[in-house]
Amino acid sequence: MNLFPVNHPLLKRFDRWAGPALAALAVGLLLLETTRPLRRRTRPRAERWRRNVLLAAPSLPAMRLTLLPAMVGLTRLAAPRRVAQLAARLPQAPRLVLEVLLLDYLAYTWHRLLHSPALWRLHRVHHSDLDMDLTTGWRFHFGEMLASIPYRAGLPALLGVRPATALGYEAVFEAFTAFQHANWRLPIALERRLAPWLMTPRLHGVHHSMVEHETHSNFGVVLMAWDWLHRTRRLDVPQQTITIGVPAYPDPAAQTVAQLLVLPLAPSRPWARPDGSVPAPDPALRALGELAE
Ligand SMILES: [Zn+2]
C-alpha cells in the first residue's frame, strides 16, 4: 500500500493549479510589501531573505513529497466504518462545509500544539525571525513539516475527510499563510472589517510579538472563529508597538542557516532576553488599540 503516492492525479492537479496561483500571489504580496509596508524593518532585507529562502529549500520539496501525498495516501488506511458511513450519508454541500471547518480547526489546534514545550523547539525557528514578511511564511524547519503529517494528514483521513477536500483546503491554507505573514499595510478600515472573521497581517503580527502572552494569541490560519471560541483572540495591539521575534534569540549573527537547522536540538530557553529582562507591553501605547473597537 503506497501511503505517499507522489504522482497521484489529485497531486498533479494541485501542481497545475495551486502551484502557479500561489506563485502569482507571492509576487503580488512582494510588490505590496514594497509599496505599502506595514512595520518598519529592523534588519536588512537581503540578510533575512537569503536565510529564509535557504531554510525553505528543503521544507518545500519535503512538503510536496510527504505531507501532500500523505493527504491522499493515508485515506487508504480508511476511516473507521461508522465514520465513513456517516460521512457518505451527508449531502455534498454540508459535507464539504463540515470538512473545511474541521480542517481549519485542526490547523488551529495544531498551531497551539506547536506552542507547547516539545514542539516549540521546532516552531521557534519560524518565530525567531527578527522581522516578519512573506519570506517568514516560508521559514519553517523541515522537521516541523514532517512532524505535522500524522495530525494534518492522518487525523483528517481518520475522520472521513476526502483527499480532494484536504488538498483544496491546503491550497487555501498556503495562501493564507502567505497573506498573514506579508508586511503589507491593508487600509485599516478594510482590515477592521476582515479581522473578526479572517486572519489578517496585523492580527498575525501580534502572534509574532516578543511579548509572551501576545505570541500565544491569534493562532488561527484562515478563520478567526477558533481564536474567538477559545479566547485566544487579540485585537488591541498596534503594529508600531510590536517588536517581532523571540526575546531569547535577538542576535542576527546567531541565526545562520546552519544554526537554524540545528536549533531544534538545542534546549529551550526561558522567555527572556539574554540579559534576563522580559519584554512587556507599554500599557499607554496598547490602550490606543488598533483593530479593536
Ligand atoms: Zn506560532
Side-chain angles (χ1 to χ4, degrees):
M1 195 187 299
N2 183 4
L3 298 181
F4 299 95
V6 290
N7 290 318
H8 191 279
L10 282 173
L11 290 160
K12 289 192 170 163
R13 201 197 297 172
F14 185 93
D15 293 342
R16 223 172 21 247
W17 294 100
L22 291 170
L25 176 68
V27 172
L29 290 171
L30 285 173
L31 285 172
L32 288 162
E33 285 186 335
T34 312
T35 51
R36 288 181 62 86
L38 174 61
R39 291 167 297 267
R40 205 174 302 130
R41 282 197 306 273
T42 63
R43 300 298 311 161
R45 198 145 55 169
E47 171 193 279
R48 292 180 42 261
W49 279 22
R50 195 181 61 81
R51 290 173 180 179
N52 291 355
V53 167
L54 285 173
L55 204 81
S59 303
L60 290 179
M63 182 171 95
R64 176 59 185 83
L65 294 173
T66 59
L67 177 65
L68 299 186
M71 287 174 175
V72 179
L74 291 184
T75 57
R76 291 181 190 167
L77 295 176
R81 202 184 319 159
R82 280 256 184 87
V83 178
Q85 282 172 346
L86 203 70
R89 234 180 284 147
L90 281 170
Q92 283 298 317
R95 183 175 181 185
L96 183 65
V97 170
L98 279 178
E99 284 175 327
V100 169
L101 288 175
L102 177 67
L103 288 165
D104 199 51
Y105 187 58
L106 289 177
Y108 168 87
T109 49
W110 172 245
H111 192 180
R112 285 198 69 169
L113 285 172
L114 287 171
H115 283 237
S116 66
L119 289 169
W120 179 251
R121 280 169 166 252
L122 291 161
H123 194 49
R124 66 187 158 170
V125 174
H126 171 67
H127 273 270
S128 58
D129 202 354
L130 294 166
D131 286 319
M132 188 172 94
D133 61 19
L134 176 70
T135 67
T136 313
W138 303 337
R139 177 188 162 122
F140 291 98
H141 196 280
F142 69 88
E144 179 181 326
M145 198 281 308
L146 294 175
S148 73
I149 292 174
Y151 201 92
R152 295 200 52 238
L155 256 185
L158 209 62
L159 294 169
V161 175
R162 293 163 293 183
T165 317
L167 284 172
Y169 172 79
E170 189 59 22
V172 177
F173 175 101
E174 296 301 334
F176 266 81
T177 300
F179 169 63
Q180 67 196 229
H181 287 97
N183 189 27
W184 168 28
R185 184 163 40 87
L186 259 81
I188 186 70
L190 173 63
E191 193 153 345
R192 278 196 185 125
R193 291 199 139 193
L194 293 176
W197 308 100
L198 300 171
M199 183 55 72
T200 65
R202 284 178 174 90
L203 286 172
H204 201 68
V206 178
H207 182 76
H208 278 256
S209 162
M210 274 202 187
V211 177
E212 186 172 13
H213 66 266
E214 290 173 359
T215 294
H216 301 312
S217 72
N218 298 352
F219 291 96
V221 175
V222 178
L223 298 174
M224 282 306 289
W226 320 120
D227 281 291
W228 177 72
L229 277 171
H230 289 282
R231 298 174 185 274
T232 51
R233 193 173 75 143
R234 281 205 87 90
L235 301 172
D236 61 346
V237 186
Q239 293 299 299
Q240 67 271 25
T241 69
I242 295 173
T243 306
I244 299 282
V246 179
Y249 305 94
D251 181 8
Q255 292 202 17
T256 64
V257 178
Q259 283 164 316
L260 290 171
L261 280 172
V262 296
L263 186 57
L265 303 174
S268 290
R269 295 180 183 174
W271 196 276
R273 298 190 188 92
D275 66 5
S277 64
V278 178
D282 178 338
L285 287 172
R286 293 295 194 267
L288 294 172
E290 191 168 42
L291 295 166
E293 291 298 309

